[in-house]
Amino acid sequence: MPTEQNSLVRDIELNVGLKNIARIEIPQFITYNIKYTLFDWQKSSLQHFLAYENPDNDIISETYAPTHLMFNMATGTGKTLLMACLILYYYKKGYRHFIFFVNQNNIVGKTEENLINQSHPKYLFKQNIVIEDKTVFIKKVNTFLNKTDDIQILFTSIHKLHNTVYAIKENSVYLEDLQKKDIVMIGDEAHHLNADTKRKNNQTEFYLPSLLNDKASEADIEKSWEDTVINKILYKGKYNTSEKNNNVLLEFTATVPNNETVKEKYRTKTIFSFDLKEFLRAGYTKEINLVSSTFDRKKRVIQALLFSWYRHKIALKYGISNFKPVILFRSKLIEESKKD
């Protein structure tokens, strides 16, 4: 039986056994309806998930709480394909309403193309999705229809989701409507979902503005992720209830914040972990060398330029004509990137 001290991943592996998990077959309604063959780690993540979902394995304790899971997987491991598989799984289970959200509009658009646009080269499903001899359609929506047999996905950023729920008076009806439905939420870059968890650790004031604009601070965005998504939608505004809550939140991130309270939060939610070190060992990504420096920001920029210039000279020396060095400067916080 699972113990309170173990992580969810460990509980699953102890309860079911690694060999038994590896024998779990991915359902054909998933493998036949996605365009690409699953990598070993994608298959393993689904096997862990299916082991967790199997009521015979006695992993899920009796509770009225919604399902809340985390997939901690490195960038480049194919998280979006895994999302596509899970959408098919929950559709087969009876769900029709899905929300995909992230903190940046450009990521929303990219994922939308992968899941909706059949003419896009990186579209992840087969041209015709067939489940139980029935053709299933995936539709992008702004509001959910009550009666539908399609997969309806609301693509949104945290700004838009927050403002839709809070900004306009009439949208209180919209929130009420969401709280009546069983919804599968998929959160990418989910390490932002922890402002309230961090607050509980240091007891700082938790103020959330009623409107978020495109220049909203990262702190306010984090607060809204946790309050809007967790409190208002996932838990339907009710933490204590005698009614079963069938909502689902699937979080995806490459990085869990280095915060003890947040780590403890995810200890019982992380269903699979495949970090950058494991991805490198699998041999499916480029080798990465990390170079640290104690210089200030200006000197670090100069250092990066010198590294790039040196690599360019080496490439010319050995006749490497297609060498194209690229330098990306990234701010740690959104506020920093807005400064001159």
Side-chain angles (χ1 to χ4, degrees), residues 102-103 157-163 166 191-196 198-199 204-229 333-335 338:
V102 73
N103 69 319
S157 66
I158 187 58
H159 301 79
K160 292 178 181 177
L161 185 60
H162 173 93
N163 292 344
Y166 292 98
H191 53 276
H192 291 280
L193 265 167
N194 298 288
D196 194 43
K198 295 174 184 176
R199 177 189 68 84
T204 57
E205 184 180 1
F206 188 82
Y207 166 75
L208 182 62
S210 59
L211 275 174
L212 288 179
N213 56 39
D214 291 337
K215 296 182 179 180
S217 69
E218 179 134 329
D220 283 342
I221 292 172
E222 288 187 5
K223 292 172 189 175
S224 182
W225 276 61
E226 191 144 336
D227 183 66
T228 305
V229 175
L333 301 174
I334 294 175
E335 292 94 324
K338 296 173 183 175

Side-chain angles (χ1 to χ4, degrees), residues 318-329:
Y318 291 98
I320 305 174
S321 59
N322 62 347
F323 181 77
K324 296 179 180 179
V326 176
I327 303 174
L328 173 65
F329 295 105

